Amino acid sequence: MHPPPPAAAMDFSQNSLFGYMEDLQELTIIERPVRRSLKTPEEIERLTVDEGLSDIERAVYLLSAGQDIQGTSVIANLPFLMRQNPAETLRRVLPKVREVLHVAGVEMQLTAAVSFLTILQEESVSIHAYAHSFLQVILLHLEHRDTGVSNAWLETLLSVIEVLPKETLRHEILNPLVSKAQLSQTVQSRVVSCKILGKLTNKFDAHIIKREILPLVKSLCQDVDYEVRSCMCRQLENIAQGIGTELTKSVVLPELIELSRDEGSSVRLAAFETLINLLDIFDTDDRSQTILPLVKSFCEKSFKADESIVISLSFHFGKLCHGLYGIFTPDQHLRFLEFYKKLCTLGLQQENGHNENQIPPQVLEQEKKYISVRKNCAYNFPAMIVFVDPKNFHMELYSTFFCLCHDPEVPVRYTIAICFYEVSKLLNSGVYLIHKELITLLQDESLEVLDALIDHLPEILELMSTGGESSVQENKLSSLPDLIPALTAAEQRAAASLKWRTHEKLLQKYACLPHIISSDQIYYRFLQRMFTIMMTNNVLPVQKAASRTLCIFLRYNRKQEQRHEVIQKLIEQLGQGKSYWNRLRFLDTCEFIIEIFSKSFFCKYFFLPAIELTHDPVANVRMKLCYLLPKVKSTLKIPADKHLLQQLEMCVRKLLCQEKDKDVLAIVKKTVLELDRMEMSMDAFQKKFYEKDLLDQEKEREELLFMEMEQLEKEKQQNDGRPMSDKIFEKKRRDSKTATQSLPKSIPISLPGPSSVSPSTSKEIKKSKLIRSQSFNNQAFHAKYGNLEKCASKSSTAGYTPSVSGLTKTSVLSLTDDSFRTRSASSVPTSFSPSMSLPSTSRGTANSVDPKSSGNKDTQARKATLKSRKSNP
């Protein structure tokens, strides 16, 4: 606390006292509205209602003698009263509502319009009863002096028209509409008549429309007020769809042509937009002889007219070119394309270095309109690629695409980023032409642009890496040297901002990278960053996204040494970390491991480190582990994992006996009941778990094939004296894609392991295994990670009996051969330097293994593991 100021510092002069008095007066002024808002006893008495009244009686009383706010509350509660007691509400409450609405204010009118619409949508009464009780009230307030109130009642009426029978529509709405649409009525009345006519057209037969509705339509199209003409023009689209093609050509089209030459700009704009929306109705002759000359004239005069017309033209330009595509001559095609290019750069020629404060307001307003035009052009860019043919993209539209990607305004770049995936799909084999623009948008200074781009980033990168013929694939992949720096810079820029959702989304999309770039590139450029985010970021969804992406990176890593370093770091820095927050993230990672990897992988590396957290000093960690235990147990198979089941039972028993935290103990008891209900999963296939076991076996086979692939690569390097190129490997993996389409159908029931392969196995067999392993890697991503998403829901379950007695404590296997050892300090980044051997459990044995007896080859370790599994039937 700060010491009080000395007495000498306090000023009690006359001027100072006057200043204090002024401050006090200001405080009293602030408090006055509060005092005035307090109710007097008389007002409180008047607002008090007898609690013994029923809902209906209370509503009648408040509408009769209450204040406006109480009446508004009753009207807002009208749908509830209709559901509770519709007969009494219609008989007693609704007449009072009609009386109140005659003198009601804006708020009560708006509330009534919403309540009437809600009653209609909830079907509290029959349509006949609704029309009899509510329709006249709605029609009465259509011409309210307040525009907002009038529009609210009109929206309610348009919804009512959808469900009313034809006879009611004709007598209650159409017949009075003839007088409401006359010139003697107000402009508001005629505008309302236009909107009602547009809705009524689809409800009557053609002869009634031709005899009673179309004359009114023609009359309103020729109205003296431009607002009425514009409103009626926008309803012609609905009318055309209701009267058919012939009447549209003979009645609607002439009116649209005349309105397109109207003196009012808003009327011309409405006519132009309606023509574009009706292009599909007109035949080729009408398009070429009538509409095309009209559109050409409209485009030529657009820059001389109001900018709002140019904005509308730019927004509908793609649809316009698509609708008129078949009737363009080469010269007309070129003129429309040049016009589009001009729109894409509109306003850029007038850029200057002046400060915005020095620019006149009218110039700023004009620049905003130009930005809207360029944004609309970016929105229509995919349609223009179709217009010029993707084969001509480089010659006709690449420079325009470059300008849109480098536009100085964020809304333009944001829109082109949204369209980037569509552009990539349309270009197909020519997608390499826009590699540089992808890098540009990834490096954009605005996170809004990055957020729009990463929505389809996996699909874009896949098109970039696989588009075109395989013969030029290497050149296309090598033309993206800036991709990895751009991706890392984008992630760092998102991490430094406050927009954590963008950061989370980007980390989730990075899960596609194993299909795009090499395993080493991911290991050295992205894995450590995922660790850093998991341990230092303060946003939980971001940490979880980084954890899951790291697990996918680990899943598709092709070097066993790197895999073990990552696993060791997960256990040391997260599972055994000093911060309880890191230990919680380790449990999240275990959940992702169970989802993504095979059951044997989790049991081998993560089962024991996970259940060790039952001794964690922090209650939250023990609580989270209890929630995870059913999934942990679902990874066990009997009898191979009997010793692990015993370890799990011992940990749960200790929790039941020693847990002191009441919240954790309650969850432990629930977990024990859930574990007890789980059925056992056996080593042999069971009919009820066939699909789940088959999926797990497929994942386990993929993991074994990854190890065999690594061994084959090492042998190739020794024989050839040079490393296998990642690009050549990716090419072979893609070439083998077609050979794996039927692979899941032919998976055998028994799992072949490396132990079944003799030392004299031929190189052809090893190469076939390499191709299969490559195809597994490729197939998983082409299925859009379908296997990864299904794993969580397809985990096998096993039975559990917490009361089993006589369990013997089982020691844990620790396999530490040369393949598990870490690299030398000279070849390993400091961030991945290991300091301990990996904890590992082996299925099918309960004896501890001497680390020295594991052998010097990683294949020997795998053989020992599989042999131990086969020894247990």
Side-chain angles (χ1 to χ4, degrees):
M1 296 179 62
H2 298 286
M10 301 181 70
D11 185 8
F12 290 101
S13 63
Q14 187 175 6
N15 293 334
S16 180
L17 288 175
F18 279 124
Y20 297 148
M21 293 295 294
E22 291 176 358
D23 293 340
L24 290 174
Q25 289 177 356
E26 291 179 2
L27 290 175
T28 58
I29 293 173
I30 294 173
E31 290 182 354
R32 280 174 190 169
V34 179
R35 291 177 179 174
R36 288 174 181 172
S37 65
L38 297 177
K39 302 297 182 184
T40 63
E42 293 78 10
E43 290 175 325
I44 295 176
E45 180 66 24
R46 197 161 56 248
L47 292 171
T48 303
V49 181
D50 186 6
E51 296 182 359
L53 297 177
S54 65
D55 291 339
I56 299 294
E57 292 172 343
R58 186 183 300 110
V60 173
Y61 172 77
L62 292 177
L63 288 172
S64 303
Q67 296 189 359
D68 287 347
I69 188 171
Q70 293 174 314
T72 303
S73 176
V74 171
I75 294 177
N77 202 39
L78 202 58
F80 171 77
L81 296 176
M82 287 295 299
R83 291 193 299 269
Q84 190 181 49
N85 195 342
E88 285 298 304
T89 303
L90 293 177
R91 188 176 67 85
R92 300 183 59 187
V93 180
L94 193 58
K96 291 292 183 182
V97 171
R98 294 196 194 100
E99 295 176 7
V100 172
L101 287 178
H102 283 294
V103 293
V106 172
E107 184 177 358
M108 188 178 292
Q109 290 275 355
L110 294 174
T111 305
V114 173
S115 294
F116 282 24
L117 180 59
T118 304
I119 293 170
L120 173 72
Q121 294 170 344
E122 293 180 351
E123 300 180 357
S124 302
V125 293
S126 64
I127 296 301
H128 178 75
Y130 187 92
H132 180 266
S133 303
F134 294 93
L135 184 57
Q136 289 302 319
V137 182
I138 296 173
L139 294 172
L140 184 63
H141 296 91
L142 277 178
E143 299 179 27
H144 195 277
R145 60 182 178 275
D146 185 274
T147 306
V149 173
S150 176
N151 290 334
W153 285 114
L154 178 61
E155 290 299 322
T156 302
L157 177 63
L158 296 179
S159 299
V160 173
I161 290 175
E162 291 285 348
V163 297
L164 288 179
K166 291 182 180 180
E167 288 302 318
T168 304
L169 287 174
R170 186 168 185 178
H171 293 292
E172 300 292 340
I173 298 178
L174 182 57
N175 291 342
L177 202 62
V178 176
S179 61
K180 296 289 184 181
Q182 300 301 318
L183 287 175
S184 58
Q185 299 293 325
T186 63
V187 172
Q188 182 182 358
S189 176
R190 303 202 300 275
V191 169
V192 168
S193 300
C194 294
K195 295 179 179 179
I196 294 175
L197 282 174
K199 199 71 174 180
L200 285 175
T201 308
N202 295 323
K203 305 297 293 184
F204 292 103
D205 298 330
H207 67 280
I208 296 179
I209 295 174
K210 189 173 182 181
R211 187 177 71 250
E212 299 186 21
I213 293 181
L214 288 184
L216 288 176
V217 171
K218 291 182 178 180
S219 173
L220 291 169
C221 285
Q222 304 296 329
D223 197 277
V224 295
D225 192 278
Y226 73 94
E227 291 184 22
V228 179
R229 297 196 302 274
S230 176
C231 183
M232 191 66 254
C233 185
R234 294 193 180 277
Q235 298 302 319
L236 289 178
E237 179 181 355
N238 295 329
I239 293 172
Q241 293 173 354
I243 63 178
T245 304
E246 294 301 323
L247 282 176
T248 299
K249 291 172 63 176
S250 61
V251 178
V252 175
L253 184 57
E255 295 294 337
L256 282 174
I257 295 173
E258 186 173 352
L259 290 170
S260 65
R261 303 188 182 100
D262 197 276
E263 59 183 9
S265 61
S266 63
V267 181
R268 296 197 302 271
L269 179 61
F272 174 73
E273 293 179 353
T274 304
L275 272 174
I276 294 176
N277 293 332
L278 292 176
L279 279 176
D280 294 336
I281 295 180
F282 302 119
D283 55 26
T284 304
D285 293 337
D286 291 328
R287 295 181 194 176
S288 59
Q289 298 175 9
T290 305
I291 298 177
L292 181 58
L294 197 61
V295 170
K296 288 171 57 179
S297 173
F298 197 90
C299 293
E300 292 170 357
K301 298 177 180 179
S302 60
F303 288 105
K304 302 177 184 178
D306 183 41
E307 283 82 1
S308 61
I309 296 181
V310 183
I311 294 174
S312 176
L313 177 60
S314 63
F315 181 76
H316 292 92
F317 201 82
K319 190 174 183 179
L320 177 64
C321 291
H322 176 73
L324 300 176
Y325 182 77
I327 63 174
F328 281 130
T329 64
D331 181 60
Q332 291 170 341
H333 189 280
L334 181 61
R335 288 178 62 184
F336 270 78
L337 180 60
E338 292 300 323
F339 183 79
Y340 172 76
K341 293 180 181 179
K342 185 178 180 180
L343 291 177
C344 288
T345 58
L346 186 63
L348 294 180
Q349 299 84 354
Q350 302 175 6
E351 292 285 332
N352 51 50
H354 294 283
N355 190 353
E356 286 190 4
N357 297 328
Q358 301 174 355
I359 302 177
Q362 59 271 21
V363 177
L364 284 175
E365 189 66 27
Q366 189 180 49
E367 288 184 358
K368 289 181 181 179
K369 293 180 179 179
Y370 289 160
I371 294 171
S372 298
V373 170
R374 301 201 301 274
K375 177 183 175 182
N376 291 338
C377 289
Y379 167 77
N380 282 293
F381 194 83
M384 296 309 297
I385 293 179
V386 177
F387 183 67
V388 302
D389 195 308
K391 296 179 181 178
N392 301 323
F393 169 79
H394 185 65
M395 296 294 296
E396 302 290 351
L397 283 176
Y398 175 74
S399 59
T400 303
F401 186 70
F402 178 87
C403 291
L404 293 173
C405 291
H406 292 81
D407 195 277
E409 300 298 331
V410 172
V412 182
R413 303 197 305 274
Y414 172 83
T415 307
I416 200 66
I418 292 177
C419 299
F420 200 94
Y421 174 52
E422 293 296 328
V423 173
S424 302
K425 285 197 301 183
L426 289 170
L427 292 180
N428 196 9
S429 60
V431 69
Y432 66 92
L433 294 170
I434 58 174
H435 282 176
K436 294 181 180 179
E437 283 64 40
L438 173 63
I439 304 301
T440 298
L441 294 176
L442 281 172
Q443 296 174 338
D444 197 280
E445 60 184 9
S446 172
L447 281 179
E448 294 179 10
V449 177
L450 178 63
D451 188 83
L453 182 68
I454 62 179
D455 282 336
H456 293 285
L457 185 63
E459 294 86 351
I460 293 172
L461 292 179
E462 184 176 353
L463 287 170
M464 291 287 182
S465 62
T466 62
E469 297 80 5
S470 58
S471 59
V472 295
Q473 186 61 44
E474 265 191 67
N475 294 333
K476 292 184 179 181
L477 287 174
S478 62
S479 66
L480 273 174
D482 298 330
L483 176 61
I484 294 178
L487 289 172
T488 55
E491 187 276 323
Q492 292 172 1
R493 199 163 60 255
S497 71
L498 297 177
K499 298 182 178 180
W500 64 265
R501 288 181 177 85
T502 299
H503 193 199
E504 178 195 14
K505 187 196 300 185
L506 185 61
L507 293 175
Q508 291 170 347
K509 301 301 181 181
Y510 276 4
C512 73
L513 291 181
H515 188 53
I516 308 300
I517 59 180
S518 70
S519 176
D520 281 339
Q521 288 173 319
I522 292 175
Y523 179 76
Y524 290 111
R525 299 302 296 272
F526 293 96
L527 262 173
Q528 175 56 32
R529 181 59 183 166
M530 297 301 111
F531 269 115
T532 304
I533 294 171
M534 290 170 63
M535 300 187 66
T536 61
N537 197 281
N538 295 325
V539 182
L540 180 58
V542 173
Q543 287 183 314
K544 287 189 174 182
S547 175
R548 192 179 193 283
T549 300
L550 184 142
C551 292
I552 293 176
F553 289 167
L554 179 63
R555 173 72 173 80
Y556 293 96
N557 187 285
R558 295 202 296 268
K559 293 188 177 179
Q560 189 177 16
E561 193 175 2
Q562 293 177 358
R563 288 197 298 271
H564 284 292
E565 289 175 2
V566 175
I567 293 170
Q568 178 176 319
K569 190 168 184 180
L570 283 171
I571 295 171
E572 286 182 351
Q573 298 192 16
L574 292 181
Q576 301 170 1
K578 295 182 180 180
S579 170
Y580 87 96
W581 190 256
N582 289 342
R583 299 196 295 276
L584 289 174
R585 299 293 73 77
F586 176 74
L587 292 176
D588 289 331
T589 305
C590 286
E591 192 170 357
F592 294 135
I593 292 289
I594 294 172
E595 172 191 348
I596 295 170
F597 288 81
S598 66
K599 297 178 181 180
S600 61
F601 182 91
F602 177 81
C603 290
K604 185 175 183 180
Y605 297 112
F606 291 94
F607 186 91
L608 291 180
I611 65 173
E612 279 295 319
L613 293 178
T614 54
H615 309 294
D616 197 277
V618 179
N620 284 0
V621 178
R622 301 195 302 273
M623 186 182 300
K624 189 174 183 67
L625 176 62
C626 290
Y627 285 121
L628 187 63
L629 284 179
K631 289 186 178 181
V632 171
K633 189 183 177 183
S634 69
T635 62
L636 300 178
K637 290 184 178 181
I638 298 301
D641 297 323
K642 185 177 181 180
H643 62 293
L644 296 180
L645 179 61
Q646 292 172 354
Q647 295 275 354
L648 179 63
E649 290 174 344
M650 291 175 61
C651 291
V652 174
R653 189 177 292 114
K654 285 182 180 179
L655 280 174
L656 281 172
C657 298
Q658 302 175 7
E659 183 58 54
K660 297 180 180 179
D661 188 283
K662 61 179 182 179
D663 296 326
V664 178
L665 185 59
I667 296 172
V668 171
K669 292 179 180 178
K670 291 181 181 178
T671 303
V672 168
L673 295 176
E674 185 176 353
L675 292 174
D676 188 49
R677 288 193 297 266
M678 292 177 67
E679 297 184 15
M680 260 346 243
S681 179
M682 311 298 290
D683 275 342
F685 272 51
Q686 294 175 280
K687 187 174 182 180
K688 61 167 64 177
F689 299 130
Y690 181 81
E691 293 184 1
K692 297 177 183 178
D693 291 342
L694 192 65
L695 179 62
D696 181 70
Q697 189 185 56
E698 182 182 346
K699 289 192 290 185
E700 188 171 352
R701 168 179 278 196
E702 289 179 27
E703 292 161 6
L704 292 173
L705 289 175
F706 274 128
M707 290 188 283
E708 294 180 9
M709 174 188 67
E710 180 188 9
Q711 184 66 25
L712 183 61
E713 287 181 343
K714 288 180 180 178
E715 292 179 4
K716 183 176 179 61
Q717 292 178 17
Q718 292 174 359
N719 296 334
D720 299 346
R722 57 186 178 85
M724 186 176 183
S725 171
D726 283 329
K727 294 177 181 177
I728 296 175
F729 181 83
E730 292 289 337
K731 179 180 177 182
K732 289 184 178 181
R733 187 180 70 176
R734 281 187 294 272
D735 292 342
S736 64
K737 176 184 176 182
T738 55
T740 64
Q741 299 299 324
S742 60
L743 187 59
K745 299 180 180 178
S746 59
I747 294 178
I749 298 301
S750 61
L751 177 63
S755 60
S756 63
V757 182
S758 65
S760 61
T761 305
S762 65
K763 292 185 178 180
E764 287 76 9
I765 297 177
K766 291 186 177 181
K767 287 182 180 179
S768 67
K769 290 183 177 181
L770 173 60
I771 292 176
R772 291 187 349 251
S773 65
Q774 294 167 350
S775 64
F776 272 128
N777 191 16
N778 194 33
Q779 184 184 15
F781 278 94
H782 273 282
K784 298 189 182 298
Y785 327 113
N787 290 344
L788 303 186
E789 300 299 333
K790 294 177 183 177
C791 292
S793 62
K794 291 185 177 291
S795 298
S796 304
T797 56
Y800 180 78
T801 306
S803 60
V804 175
S805 59
L807 294 178
T808 59
K809 186 173 182 179
T810 307
S811 59
V812 183
L813 274 176
S814 176
L815 300 179
T816 54
D817 57 23
D818 286 349
S819 65
F820 286 12
R821 294 172 189 167
T822 56
R823 293 186 291 182
S824 61
S826 61
S827 63
V828 183
T830 57
S831 59
F832 284 90
S833 298
S835 60
M836 60 170 267
S837 60
L838 281 173
S840 174
T841 58
S842 175
R843 289 185 169 183
T845 179
N847 299 323
S848 62
V849 177
D850 185 3
K852 295 181 181 179
S853 66
S854 299
N856 296 325
K857 301 284 186 178
D858 68 313
T859 54
Q860 293 177 4
R862 294 198 305 274
K863 289 178 182 179
T865 303
L866 292 175
K867 284 179 180 179
S868 64
R869 290 184 59 190
K870 287 191 175 183
S871 64
N872 293 278

